[in-house]
Amino acid sequence: RAGTRSPRIGAKPTATGTGSRGTEAKRRLPSTAARAGTRRGVNREQLAPSEGARIMDCLKRACDTLLERMAMAMFLLLICVTLFQVLSRYVFPVPISFTEEVGRFLFIWISFLGAAIVMNRDEHIRLDLFHGRVSRRTYDALRIAVYVLIVVFSVGILVTSPDLLNVASRQTAAVSRISMGTVYTVLPLSALLTTGYALIHLIQAAKGLRGGV
């Protein structure tokens, strides 16, 4: 017919633009997936705790376990001493007087170690009057202020403890003859543990305040 062109003999069909684009997209898919996998791997590496953080966490858990078991052992010993004191007074003819001093000294150790344990758990008695009336950031700022005061107070105890122990080590208990330096050793120990735990909570509260959580 007139006006129509017949295809040339031996001419090769040309690929359409859509087919070429699809082929290029398929070729790009593996590289895109590889890049996404690399990014996810980098994010996982960034989110994964470092070796130093894991070591510090293990040391903290070991310290917490040792502290709690020490307090539990002293509490059981206090029960045994008090029971022995009651039996010696009402059952045996001669009461044993040193049990009263030993029980008092054990109670002092339990109290100060318990204060450090409660600081670790962040379960000290607090007034939550403003907890529901202020924003989350304001509440975190108040927590930071409280932890700073605790750190300052504990550091003050640590600074003055050597002089106190120097004076107390020269004295002994009247009945049990226990050195008073041994009794007062729990004061700097509890202050040191309280300082460490308060600093941990302070850092966590500062991160929450910075992140706006």
Side-chain angles (χ1 to χ4, degrees):
R1 296 178 184 177
T4 59
R5 295 181 181 179
S6 61
R8 297 179 181 178
I9 301 174
K12 296 181 180 180
T14 58
T16 59
T18 306
S20 60
R21 292 176 184 176
T23 305
E24 292 178 359
K26 289 181 180 179
R27 291 177 180 176
R28 292 176 182 176
L29 283 177
S31 59
T32 306
R35 288 196 299 269
T38 305
R39 292 174 183 175
R40 285 196 294 267
V42 172
N43 293 334
R44 289 174 183 174
E45 291 178 358
Q46 292 176 352
L47 293 176
S50 61
E51 187 68 22
R54 287 196 295 266
I55 294 175
M56 292 299 296
D57 185 62
C58 292
L59 290 176
K60 180 182 178 298
R61 284 185 292 179
C63 180
D64 298 343
T65 303
L66 179 62
L67 180 61
E68 292 178 2
R69 290 184 179 181
M70 185 185 300
M72 290 174 61
M74 288 187 175
F75 188 75
L76 291 176
L77 184 59
L78 176 61
I79 293 175
C80 295
V81 169
T82 305
L83 181 61
F84 186 69
Q85 179 184 4
V86 173
L87 292 177
S88 65
R89 179 174 298 179
Y90 293 101
V91 177
F92 302 110
V94 179
I96 301 175
S97 57
F98 77 88
T99 55
E100 182 179 355
E101 281 187 352
V102 173
R104 185 165 63 249
F105 297 156
L106 285 173
F107 185 76
I108 292 173
W109 270 77
I110 292 170
S111 300
F112 280 94
L113 293 181
I117 293 173
V118 175
M119 185 71 247
N120 178 32
R121 299 178 180 179
D122 197 17
E123 294 179 353
H124 272 293
I125 298 176
R126 67 186 68 183
L127 296 176
D128 55 354
L129 180 63
F130 302 102
H131 177 61
R133 301 183 180 181
V134 296
S135 62
R136 180 65 182 179
R137 293 180 61 85
T138 305
Y139 180 71
D140 289 336
L142 291 176
R143 289 180 59 200
I144 291 174
V146 170
Y147 293 138
V148 169
L149 292 176
I150 293 175
V151 170
V152 171
F153 180 75
S154 301
V155 171
I157 294 177
L158 285 174
V159 172
T160 58
S161 292
D163 296 333
L164 178 62
L165 292 178
N166 188 20
V167 175
S169 60
R170 303 172 187 173
Q171 304 174 359
T172 56
V175 181
S176 61
R177 308 306 297 174
I178 297 175
S179 175
M180 297 304 296
T182 305
V183 178
Y184 283 97
T185 304
V186 70
L187 187 61
L189 178 61
S190 176
L192 179 62
L193 293 172
T194 302
T195 302
Y197 291 139
L199 285 175
I200 293 175
H201 293 306
L202 177 61
I203 294 172
Q204 292 176 353
K207 289 181 178 179
L209 182 62
R210 183 184 302 176
V213 180

